Structures are given as structure tokens and as C-alpha cells.
Amino acid sequence: MLELLLLVFVFALLVWHRKLSTRLQALELTVAELRGRLEDVPVAAAAAAEPRDATEALDGTLAQTPAGGTEAGALGPGDGPSAEPALDDPAKPQAADEPPLPEQRAARESFESRFGARWSVWVGGLALALGGIFLVRYSIDAGLLGPAARLTLAALFGIVLASCGEILRRGAMPRLPKAYSGAMIPGILTAAASVTLMATIFTAYGVYGFIGPTTAFLGLAGIALATLLLSLLHGQGLAGLGLAASLLTPALVATDAPDIAFLFGYLSLVWLAAAAAARIRRWHVLPVLANIGLTLWVIAYAVNTPFLDPVPPGVALMVLVAGTAFLWPGRAFETAEGTRLETVPLDPTKAPSAEDLVQAAGTSADLPSEPPSEPPAEPSAAAPSGWRRLRSLLTRRPRAIVWSASACVFFGLLCLVVLATPGPTHPVMMLTAVTGTLAALGAGRRAGAIPAVTSAVTAILGIGIILLIQPIALSTPPVSEAGSGSFLAVSPSVLGALTLGAIFTVCGLIFLRRKGPEDPDLAALWALLAALVPVTLAALTFLTEGKLGRDWLHGLYGLAIGSALILSVELASRKGRLPALAGDLLIAGSFAAFTFSLHALTHGLTTTLAVAALGFAYVLAASIRSWRGLPFAMVLAAVVVGARIAWEPTIVGPEALAKTPVFNALLAGYGIPAALLILSCWLLRHWPGRRALNALQGLAALSGLLTLSILVRHAMNGGVLTEHVPTLGEQSIHTLLLVGASGLLMTLDLKSPSMTFRYGSMLAGVIATINILFVHLFMLNPFFTNEPIGTWPLVNLLLPGYLLPALGFAGLALYARDKRPQLYVVMLALSGAVLAFAWATLSVRWFWHGSMIGDWKGFLQGETYTYSVVWLLIGVGLLALGSRLDARTLRLASAGLVLISVCKVFLIDMSNLEGILRALSFIGLGGVLIGIGMFYQRILARSNRVSPPAGDTA
């Protein structure tokens, strides 16, 4: 009883304090009026002309509030710790941007103010709520009153608390700074009353059985919703309490056979009530809690239900998405942060290219024929990076609400799909409806990047789970029936997946038409999703339930998606309303859709040639429309053809491949795409911008070299392509092809300078050198493999294996002089010298041992002596050739070879040779060294005679 008397005493003090605060307000108004009269008129006029800052405006508002106006205890729009000002008027400053008042700063800095003004209020409200519960508990333990009387007193106590909160809200509370808006006593008292009343109803139902489950449910739901309604007056904290109570009500009043439709209908109603309250007060935390609470119910239902009906939770999730789109935040943030067409600034250090001009213009209009020759007078700021632009898309306001709604739909849907059981409604239909609604939210709002990406990931994962994990559980028709090509035999999985893909395409094209020019970043994202999602979903259904080679359903679907994408580019480019990057992505997406259609309707060699022809058709279209994405379609075609070749190198299958050299399916499968790439390079030789042309030139060179290599391998293996290690003869042809490709690319670079030709020629030379060092000299060397060389003296395996590549490297090094870096030329020359040395050495061994020159045969004395003679002759020959061509590299190679010969004579010949051979070896070495010395002395003497005088500095 003492606690109740203290409560009444505190309430009386608050009423008396209200009278004192009214008198104090009157005195403040009088002082303010007298102060204004004492100020000078000019100063007052100047002050009136200047705009007041947020602090002065707020002080003036507080000072002029009449006695009967809205008090600080009654939270108006925007009050509360997470409240924000109304967004209907963009000119109004945001609450988060207003500088804190001095009294607010003081309140935050003072522990006394924190303890006295906030913590004590919170703890007091909790104590009151627990006090009501403990009072009932005490009456039970003491046996003072009957059950009905106890519950009646508890209900009366809750009503008294609610009445006190309302009386204090209406005028008995003093004004407090905004920092204490979350600790207003009226709201705390109302929350305590709600807890007390709900505990009373639950006790009457669960402990005493005075009321049934229906009455208890209605009572608890009514109190929870009433609490949510009163939160409009008392703040967001009370709204959170009402929301939690509303969501817990079905769990507190449980039945053995719950009505799932009624359950999720009630939860949807609670969510709508919370969203409506948040819409009125501009709250951001309450919607997040409502999203999480509804999703937890969906997950709990999916986990604990043996026979899952996906329709009621799916409809609840659709209510969540639709409410987010139209109720709160709806369109409140569409103009909060104005969008503008972001352009790509030009580099001030160089003349802008036509590609840069198109990207800077932000549209895919016709490209200029020639780029301007002078940079702009005033270069703009640096363009934002792709990561920064993506981050800005993902952090648009309202971040928390959009993120929570997207994540909740994602996890809720995946739980329903993974745990789906056979029933009247296939889960793919629910997945299609909810994911399509989320995609529509992403296409309808400027903060829709998160819903758009989440819906795309949900669609792909959900369809993948249904097709790959749950086909048996969901009674999916077998592949033979689902992929029979008949429109009447389409399984629900295929129908839902294709419908969902079409929804993404429609949403993307609608967004690009309505808001694409105003928001190029989000337009690019939707262009990607509009092309990627339908093709991915169609590919999943085609691979699992389609008919390879002749599936009309998937083939026509790909044609429809591709036609819609390319038609949208055409219509938007005529009006000049399509951002450049979005246009490029739509063009690439149309090519992907058409390529998928070709794979669904054709197979084998026909598909490979059709993909190459499709890419070439885009190149031909570049002569009609100057869309910068058209040439890249041929690049994508080359990538697809390369992937098909990697999957099946024989193009038509090993059994169907003819054994006729050259004239077989390989010539068409490899050669026609290569020819189309070369022709594309020629057609695009005047195309503004070098990226696409450089890529096509590199792919053309690679495909041409690959065509020749595969034809050689086919011919040298008896018309059969196998995976075994190639022979030395086959590898030699590949090396010669690389050398020839390097020289050809160098010639093309000299005629038409290109980065692709320049670095491609050098890369081919480097790869050929690597082949020489590791394959020719070690892996396939007949000395180690014991491969038969042949019986002819010169025309044997050593000719293509070593001599011809040596001549090729020598010619390439000579051709590259003064055209390529000196280090590259030296590498080529040394490679040729090493090959020539290997050919001569292996030829000596062939002379002494015949066709089989394996290392197991050992060395003969005559063979060892012949090596010394041959090496010295080669060294002298290289020295003479280097002097004639003034090639220092050859002279250095000669010196190295002579040094090797010297080491061999002193280290090997001295110990292994006997008799006249040992003497002749040393005599020959000495004579050669003396001759080389005389040769160098003549060169030095000649250079001294022609050298200028010491004093001449010319």
C-alpha cells in the first residue's frame, strides 16, 4: 500500500508542477517582449532580414508556444529518437542534419541528467508493469481475493496507469529537450498499462480458463493494436511494444488446429498497422521490426509444419513488399535526393575519343565520325569509380527499410522453397508471384537497387533449388515429358521460371523507359538484370528439363527476350533517352538471348557456325547503327565459340569426324569463325574507339593460329584427335606457326599500328621461345625419348624439329631489328642459335649411332672429338656472320659457344680421348683460338684507324 500512496503523491506533484510551468511560460513571454522593445530599430530590421539558423528558430518556437498548445510530452510528427521531418517538402531541413541545442549537448554530457531524466523513467515504467503483475501474484499467494477479483483489480490498475499517462500527456508534463523524447513519462505509463492488461487477459485464459482462446486472442490483439494506435501520441518506443505484443499474440493463444490463412491474415493486418503508424510519424525503426517479425513467423511456419501450404505466407510476404512500395516509405524518398545524369569527364591531358564522348553524353546516340582534336577548356572533376557508384546505389535512402524488406523476403522465400512439400499449389507459383512483386518494387523506386538485386538472386536460387534439389519431392515430370517440345506438356517449374524471367525483362524495360535517363546507374543495373535473369532461368530449365537440339519452347522464348531487348534499344536511341552503359548491356543481353535460342534449336557444327554468324550480323548492323556495344557482340561470339571448342574439340564428335586431312568438319568449325573475325576486323577498321577492334584483332589472330594447329594435329595423327603428348614433328609445326604468326602480326602492326598486333606479335615470340626451351630441348628431345629420327642424312626428324625453327627464329630476329625492343630481339636470336647448336649436335650423334640416338647408347671417342670440331666451326661461323651483319648478339653467341668448346676439350676430351684424337683436339682448339684472336686484333686495329682524334668532340 505504501507504493500506491507514493504513486498518488508523485502524480499530485506533477499536476502542481504544471501550474508552475504555466506561470513560468507567461513570465518568459513578458521578458522576451520587453527585450524586443529595448533593442534598436535598425538592428532589429537587420536581424529580421537575415535568416535565422535552426537553433534560433527552434528557440523562438518553444518560446512562443501557448499554454494550451502541444507539450513536449505529446510527441508530434518527427519526435522520437529515430523520427525524421516530413519528406513531402524537400526544402525542409532534415532532423538528422539540425545542430543540437546547447541544452541537448549539456543533457548528453551530464550523467546526472541521464540518470534523472531518462534512466529513472525507464526503470520506473518497468517497475510499474512488474508491480501490477506482482500484485496479482501476491494476492494469489496470500489467498486474499478470489481469481475474478484479482483479475479485476489488475485490469483496474492497468486502466489507472493508462489514464495517468493520458492526463500527463495532455498538459501535466514540463517541456524537455528533444534528447529526452524517448523517456517521456506518459508513454512509459501507457506501456506499463498495456503490459499489465495483456498479462491480465493471458492469465484469465491460460491460468484460470475464464475465457476461451477466441476471446483471449481478440482481447490481446485489441490491446496490442490499441497500443500501436496510442504510439502515434507517445512515440516509437510504445509502437515497438505494441508491435511485439501483436506478433506474440498468436503464440500466446495457440490451438491444436490453427487456421493458417487466418494467422497470416492477422499478421498482415498487424504489419499494415505498423506501416501506417510509421507513415504518419515518419518512423524508420518500426518498419524494420515489423519486417523481421513477419518473416520470423514465415520461417517458423515453414520449419514446424509437415504439410506446407505456401500460399498464406507467400501472400503475407507480398503484403510486405506492396506495403513497402505504396504505404511506407512509398514515394516519400523519390525526390528527397535529386538524381542527375552522371557523365564521364574527359581526360584533360589528351584529346577525347568518340567512345569517351558517348559515355560523357550518357546516351547511345550516333557516334561522331571523328573525335575532336583539342581537349575541353575546363575539364570536369574525376569520374566516380564503379565501386563508388555501386555503393551509392546500395545506400540510397531509406536504407534500413529497403534492406530489411529485401532480406526478409529472401530468407522467407528460400525457407518455403527448400521445405516445400507436395500440395495443391506448386511452390514455384508462389516464388514467381512474390519475387516478381519484389522486382516490381525495385523497378518502381529510386532506392530499388537492393530489391532488384535481391529478387534476381532469389529467383535464380529458388528456381535452382526447385529444379535440382526438389524434383522428386515436388513430383516434377520427367525430362522426356517436360522437354518433349509440346506447349501442352510444360511442367510448373518450367512455366514458373520462364514467367519469372519475362517479369524481370518487363520490369527492366519499363524502368528504362520511365526513369532511365534520370538515373543512369540504376538503369545500367536494370539493363543487366533484364538480360541476365531470363537467360539464366531459361538455361536452368533447358538443362534440366529441356530437349537438346530441338526445344521449340525455349528457342522461341530466347527469340522473344532478345527481340524485346534489341527493340527497346532501337526505340530509346531514336529519342536519345538511353544511357550508354545500359544500351551496351541490353545489346549484350540480346546477343545472349539469341545465342541461347540457337543452342535450344540446333546442335553440333550448326550451332557453332550459327553463333559466329550471329556475332557477324551485329558487326554488319554497326554500319547502320553506331551503337558502341555492337562490335562487342562479335567478341562475345568468339568467346562462346571458344567455349564450345573447349567442350568438344572435334566440333561434331569423335565418331562423326572424318579422317580426311584439312577438308573435314574442323576446317568449317574452326576456320569459318576465324574468317568472320578477320572480316569483322576489316569492316571495323574505321570504327571510332579501339577497344573492340583491338579485342577482335587479337581473337582473329588466335583463332587463325588455332585453326592451323588443329588441322596439323588432325593430319599428323591419322585423322584422330587424341589427348596424348604430341610428337616432335607435330610440335615443330606448332612452333613454326607461332613464329609465322609473330612475323605476320608484326607486319600488320607496321601497316596499321595496333596495340593488339604489337603485343600479340611479341607474345607469340615469347610462347615459341618457351616451347624451344622446355619442349624441343628436353621433353621431346630424341636423345631423351629415343624417338626414331630417320635414315636420310639431312631430311630427317631433326630438320623440322630444330633446323627449320632455328632459321625461323633467325629470320624473325633479323626482321624485328629496330622494330621491337632490343631485349626481345636478343631473345629471338639466342633461341635460333640454341636450336642450330642442338641440330648440329644431334646430327653428329645421328652420324655415329644411326636413327636411334637415345642416351642409353653412351658416347664414342670419335663422336666426342667430332663434337669439338663441329662446335668450333659453328662458333667461327657465328663470329663471321656477326661481323658481316654487325650483329653483336651473334658475336656474343660465338664467344659463348667457343667457351663451351674450350671447357669440353679441357674437361672431357682430356680424360676420355686417347692417342691421336686427344692431340688433334687440342691442336685444333689452339689453332681456332689463335685465329679468333687475330680476327679481333684486325677489328680493333681498323677501329683505331677510323676513330676521331682525341680532341675532336664531333
Side-chain angles (χ1 to χ4, degrees), residues 91-164:
K92 293 182 180 180
Q94 302 294 326
D97 299 332
E98 294 178 358
L101 297 176
E103 55 182 349
Q104 293 174 340
R105 289 195 296 267
R108 284 195 297 267
E109 294 172 359
S110 173
F111 172 78
E112 179 183 4
S113 63
R114 286 179 180 270
F115 179 79
R118 277 198 296 240
W119 299 346
S120 62
V121 174
W122 297 336
V123 177
L126 178 61
L128 288 175
L130 294 176
I133 298 174
F134 292 154
L135 186 61
V136 176
R137 180 66 181 177
Y138 170 75
S139 65
I140 296 174
D141 295 338
L144 299 178
L145 300 172
R150 298 167 194 161
L151 296 177
T152 302
L153 289 178
L156 290 176
F157 181 70
I159 295 173
V160 169
L161 290 178
S163 301
C164 293

Side-chain angles (χ1 to χ4, degrees), residues 501-512:
I503 290 174
F504 272 88
T505 300
V506 172
C507 290
L509 297 184
I510 290 177
F511 177 84
L512 292 172

Side-chain angles (χ1 to χ4, degrees), residues 578-897:
L578 184 64
L581 182 57
D584 297 341
L585 293 173
L586 289 179
I587 292 173
S590 66
F591 173 81
F594 290 143
T595 302
F596 168 75
S597 178
L598 291 176
H599 281 79
L601 297 176
T602 61
H603 67 281
L605 178 62
T606 305
T607 306
T608 302
L609 299 182
V611 170
L614 176 64
F616 186 69
Y618 277 76
V619 173
L620 294 178
S623 60
I624 304 174
R625 294 288 185 269
S626 298
W627 302 335
R628 69 177 190 179
L630 290 175
F632 289 97
M634 191 63 193
V635 177
L636 296 177
V639 173
V640 174
V641 170
R644 290 186 57 84
I645 290 175
W647 178 263
E648 181 52 73
T650 61
I651 304 296
V652 294
E655 298 81 7
L657 180 62
K659 296 184 178 181
T660 305
V662 181
F663 299 101
N664 49 61
L666 298 177
L667 179 62
Y670 287 78
I672 293 179
L676 292 179
L677 282 170
I678 295 173
L679 185 57
S680 299
C681 295
W682 183 80
L683 293 176
L684 297 173
R685 63 189 183 280
H686 299 304
W687 181 262
R690 299 287 303 180
R691 293 181 182 177
L693 184 57
N694 288 336
L696 288 176
Q697 289 173 346
L699 291 172
L702 180 62
S703 61
L705 183 62
L706 181 62
T707 301
L708 295 176
S709 298
I710 201 67
L711 291 176
V712 167
R713 184 168 181 80
H714 176 267
M716 296 194 67
N717 286 275
V720 179
L721 292 179
T722 60
E723 298 180 355
H724 65 76
V725 178
T727 61
L728 179 61
E730 180 184 343
Q731 183 60 45
S732 301
I733 296 178
H734 296 326
T735 302
L736 289 173
L737 289 175
L738 286 172
V739 173
S742 178
L744 177 61
L745 293 176
M746 193 185 309
T747 303
L748 294 175
D749 183 46
L750 296 177
K751 293 183 178 180
S752 177
S754 170
M755 182 182 300
T756 303
F757 291 153
R758 176 177 176 82
Y759 292 103
S761 64
M762 297 174 63
L763 180 62
V766 170
I767 295 176
T769 302
I770 294 175
N771 278 339
I772 292 301
L773 295 178
F774 293 97
V775 180
H776 287 252
L777 298 180
F778 295 100
M779 294 178 58
L780 300 180
N781 192 332
F783 180 75
F784 299 111
T785 63
N786 201 32
E787 181 182 356
I789 295 177
T791 58
W792 290 70
L794 183 61
V795 184
N796 51 41
L797 183 60
L798 299 179
L799 176 65
Y802 295 94
L803 183 57
L804 292 181
L807 296 177
F809 271 94
L812 184 61
L814 186 63
Y815 185 52
R817 292 181 65 184
D818 303 327
K819 302 180 184 67
R820 290 293 181 264
Q822 183 64 25
L823 184 62
Y824 175 73
V825 176
V826 171
M827 180 195 71
L828 296 177
L830 290 178
S831 299
V834 169
L835 282 173
F837 173 77
W839 173 79
T841 303
L842 294 176
S843 296
V844 170
R845 188 165 179 82
W846 172 85
F847 177 78
W848 288 96
H849 293 279
S851 177
M852 311 293 289
I853 61 172
D855 57 343
W856 58 274
K857 288 187 175 183
F859 295 90
L860 304 176
Q861 289 194 5
E863 175 188 356
T864 304
Y865 175 75
T866 308
Y867 287 142
S868 301
V869 175
V870 172
W871 291 357
L872 289 173
L873 291 176
I874 294 175
V876 173
L878 289 176
L879 179 61
L881 184 62
S883 176
R884 179 65 180 271
L885 299 177
D886 193 18
R888 184 169 178 268
T889 303
L890 294 179
R891 296 198 299 268
L892 292 177
S894 170
L897 190 57

